[in-house]
Amino acid sequence: MLRKAIRSWAWRWSAATLAVLLVSGIALGATTITHLTYQHHGDQYHAYLEQRAREFERLHPGVTVELIIGVHDKFDVMVAGGTPPDVFDLPDYGHLALEGMFVDVRPLLERDGMLSLYNPAILELMTAPDGGIYAMPFELGSTPAFYNRDLFKEAGLADPEQLGEGWTWDAVLEAGKRLTVDRNGDGVPEQFGVDRPWGALWRQAVHQAGGAFYDDRMRPTRSLWNSPEAVEGISFVAEIYRSGITPHHHVPDQTQFYFWTGRTAINLGDGPGIVGAYLADATFDWDFYLQPKGPAYRSAAVGAGGPHILSSTQNLPLVWEWVKFYAASVEGVTQFVQMTGRLPALVAVQPVYPDVAGIGDKAFHYIFEQTVQPNPYSYTLPLQLNPRRINLDPVWRGQQSPQEFLHNLHNQMTAIIAELYGSN
């Protein structure tokens, strides 16, 4: 149903229609811009949008910016119901650019002299196979390692930076065992070694083993889920579970052990966004380092993205002004970094990032070093194929071996690729 809705919008909003909107000027009178923002961006991200929305309304009398906080189901329902938002910033939908769903902002960036505001490598990373840029450059994605220096010191262990080249998968497992502590002997640790391996950690592990999930990051023709590298990466994470060094599936409420609580020593699955959202008031000494090295690489999730403008918007000039206002002004993006700790795509803000984000005393350079590590994890895929949507609980709980699970998953993904793209 969603794909039919997408094609319907694409047919109705041709390039000629968008060109008319572009030259028509900003509409006068009462106008509402609907912006759907991702629930899991965090409270500070939403607070930033709220502040900029109210300021934009003050500068544009008669305009209302309606902010809706939601997840993927909300977007799907809005599109299927014929009321898509004007702009949204949810992940996992970049592939819809090839369906005609989004406005190509490259011509707008060129017209307004904005291409020079961004690193060419970032623009290249955001460029679709047809040459278009279908999201406003706003923030960079990087997943360095976080570690609790206090807990490493208490255990008498060398921390990741001190280990340097010795910071490997084996080091993670060994440190995780030493840093998981059951102080009262009741069988339930009060402190764990590794936070949330069910997220980005396992996806990165496949790439650290030298693998990938598909042969193309945007429109694959072949599944690689059952490759030896994928099996090796998943097996490493399964060992984290088997060793009992993560709170996930080992305590009733894992949220009580998230890294920012100070009760877990190593976090390999979050980006710098947690700095402003969760670590700003941390009472323990934490820092950054690179991901642990797997059999091949120190790969991590790396990307660049920002809001998409829907092709169906009825007022492109005004929506473009809103997107520029919150995502491309030095003043706004500086405020965004200060509130969230996220990495800015705007080159002019990057030099002040450490101080603005309040991490001038941290080894912040590892955030940027992580982005240039080989074989990064980056996909722009339909939800049916997206690794973020895969639940490996049967493996984590020991109900299936990595080999069996990935063999079955490979067959499923192969069938979906054939259905979507007519490939085998």
Side-chain angles (χ1 to χ4, degrees):
M1 180 179 290
L2 178 58
R3 289 178 64 83
K4 290 181 180 178
I6 290 169
R7 292 194 178 97
S8 176
W9 284 111
W11 291 334
R12 280 184 273 172
W13 290 91
S14 64
T17 304
L18 292 177
V20 171
L21 287 172
L22 185 60
V23 300
S24 64
I26 296 176
L28 300 177
T31 305
T32 297
I33 298 172
T34 303
H35 182 143
L36 176 61
T37 185
Y38 191 39
Q39 176 179 320
H40 299 301
H41 279 324
D43 292 341
Q44 291 303 309
Y45 189 109
H46 302 149
Y48 168 72
L49 286 181
E50 182 70 29
Q51 289 184 19
R52 295 303 281 177
R54 303 296 80 82
E55 178 65 13
F56 188 80
E57 291 171 350
R58 187 185 69 79
L59 295 172
H60 298 81
V63 174
T64 298
V65 178
E66 180 188 17
L67 296 175
I68 301 173
I69 299 174
V71 292
H72 300 79
D73 288 349
K74 180 64 175 179
F75 177 72
D76 295 347
V77 168
M78 293 177 74
V79 170
T83 58
D86 295 293
V87 58
F88 81 117
D89 55 44
L90 276 66
D92 302 329
Y93 284 106
H95 65 282
L96 295 183
L98 301 180
E99 303 279 358
M101 190 74 166
F102 308 136
V103 172
D104 177 4
V105 300
R106 183 185 287 276
L108 302 178
L109 291 168
E110 290 175 344
R111 184 200 67 185
D112 293 352
M114 298 176 64
L115 287 176
S116 62
L117 300 180
Y118 306 97
N119 187 313
I122 295 304
L123 295 178
E124 180 64 26
L125 187 62
M126 299 183 69
T127 299
D130 65 359
I133 298 175
Y134 293 95
M136 181 68 170
F138 184 34
E139 59 176 321
L140 306 182
S142 176
T143 311
F146 293 81
Y147 66 95
N148 185 322
R149 185 180 281 111
D150 286 342
L151 296 185
F152 273 86
K153 285 182 177 179
E154 289 174 11
L157 294 173
D159 64 42
E161 185 173 42
Q162 291 169 336
L163 287 172
E165 285 301 306
W167 179 236
T168 63
W169 282 5
D170 287 342
V172 171
L173 294 173
E174 180 60 30
K177 294 171 185 176
R178 296 274 300 276
L179 291 162
T180 299
V181 181
D182 178 7
R183 295 187 177 89
N184 61 14
D186 66 353
V188 180
E190 293 79 34
Q191 174 185 304
F192 284 91
V194 182
D195 188 16
R196 285 168 297 149
W198 50 264
L201 193 163
W202 71 261
R203 299 190 292 271
Q204 291 166 171
V206 171
H207 284 259
Q208 290 165 5
F213 301 108
Y214 304 100
D215 62 344
D216 186 84
R217 71 180 186 89
M218 195 166 188
R219 181 163 284 186
T221 62
R222 186 162 58 96
S223 162
L224 302 175
W225 279 98
N226 65 342
S227 68
E229 294 84 2
V231 172
E232 189 169 20
I234 300 305
S235 295
F236 161 63
V237 180
E239 180 62 20
I240 292 176
Y241 280 94
R242 192 192 68 79
S243 300
I245 61 177
T246 178
H248 190 223
H249 291 331
H250 289 98
V251 295
D253 183 5
Q254 67 165 336
T255 66
Q256 300 302 309
F257 294 88
Y258 283 168
F259 179 75
W260 45 85
T261 68
R263 302 176 69 188
T264 302
I266 302 166
N267 179 1
L268 303 176
D270 278 313
I274 69 169
V275 173
Y278 303 112
L279 284 170
D281 299 319
T283 58
F284 58 91
D285 185 11
W286 62 270
D287 217 330
F288 302 102
Y289 192 56
L290 299 173
Q291 286 283 324
K293 187 175 181 180
Y297 304 111
R298 296 187 184 276
S299 306
V302 174
H308 301 283
I309 299 176
L310 275 291
S311 300
S312 54
T313 182
Q314 306 250 348
N315 201 334
L316 179 57
L318 182 60
V319 172
W320 175 239
E321 290 302 313
W322 157 241
V323 168
K324 287 195 300 181
F325 182 74
Y326 90 83
S329 75
V330 171
E331 175 190 4
V333 175
T334 299
Q335 181 185 3
F336 171 73
V337 172
Q338 190 169 25
M339 293 178 67
T340 67
R342 292 176 182 245
L343 293 179
L346 207 60
V347 171
V349 180
Q350 290 175 2
V352 300
Y353 167 76
D355 291 332
V356 170
I359 57 172
D361 61 334
K362 305 295 182 184
F364 61 85
H365 58 93
Y366 290 122
I367 303 173
F368 298 99
E369 287 184 30
Q370 187 66 66
T371 66
V372 298
Q373 293 296 309
N375 202 32
Y377 162 68
S378 178
Y379 291 95
T380 305
L381 294 162
L383 291 181
Q384 305 99 304
L385 297 173
N386 200 301
R388 290 182 72 250
R389 308 285 282 193
I390 304 301
N391 183 351
L392 277 85
D393 257 7
V395 177
W396 308 151
R397 293 181 181 275
Q399 298 164 345
Q400 285 184 270
S401 70
Q403 292 86 345
E404 179 186 3
F405 184 92
L406 293 174
H407 173 76
N408 293 334
L409 184 60
H410 167 74
N411 290 336
Q412 294 172 24
M413 295 299 109
T414 297
I416 292 173
I417 290 172
E419 180 181 356
L420 291 176
Y421 307 123
S423 300
N424 295 312

